[in-house]
Amino acid sequence: MLTLDRNRLIDLHLQMLAELGWTPPSGDVIDEIANGGLLTVMQAATVCEVSDETIRRWNADAARRGQSLGKKGATWLIGRARLLDYVEKYQGGLPARVKAQNRLREFWPRWSEPSEDRLGLESRRAKAL
């Protein structure tokens, strides 16, 4: 009888995933957000080189398929992983996903910096106190 070593199987699967470029998540939800885990509709459109309206249509399509791309509060926040999965599965395959990932890497450093306007406002508020 063949016995399966659970830990060995897990290790083999993790090795295969690592070879495919997967890395386990680290940190918490704040770290994920700080690293581009949530995008505005405009950012998602820029990354995918489509219009804001196309992102909204994709979100509606994804919701019909069982999992929306994001969550609407005061504005839509699009999940990076869901967006990239959707692009790969329904909008051009792996090449389109890689292109979007590369554009996100290109733009995220600028998008994640505090805006000068907000810094100026915070500075003025601090001085007023």
Side-chain angles (χ1 to χ4, degrees), residues 13 19 21 40 45 49 54-55 76 81-82 87 89 95-96 100 108 111 113 121 127:
H13 280 95
E19 287 179 24
T40 65
E49 296 181 301
T54 296
I55 295 297
W76 273 101
R82 289 183 184 193
V87 165
K89 193 167 185 180
W108 189 252
W111 289 341
E113 290 178 3
L121 178 61
K127 288 178 183 176

Side-chain angles (χ1 to χ4, degrees), residues 44-96:
T46 299
V47 164
C48 295
E49 296 181 301
V50 297
S51 70
D52 293 7
E53 192 55 39
T54 296
I55 295 297
R56 288 184 184 90
R57 280 194 314 271
W58 287 1
N59 184 57
D61 180 58
R64 281 190 298 275
R65 295 174 186 273
Q67 185 177 48
S68 73
L69 301 178
K71 179 80 174 144
K72 183 161 176 39
T75 186
W76 273 101
L77 294 174
I78 305 297
R80 175 193 62 216
R82 289 183 184 193
L83 176 65
L84 294 174
D85 289 347
Y86 181 86
V87 165
E88 182 176 358
K89 193 167 185 180
Y90 303 109
Q91 300 298 327
L94 185 58

Side-chain angles (χ1 to χ4, degrees), residues 5-26:
D5 181 350
R6 179 182 178 275
N7 291 335
R8 173 119 171 89
L9 285 175
I10 291 170
D11 287 341
L12 288 172
H13 280 95
L14 289 173
Q15 287 173 15
M16 287 186 285
L17 288 168
E19 287 179 24
L20 293 171
W22 179 81
T23 56
S26 62

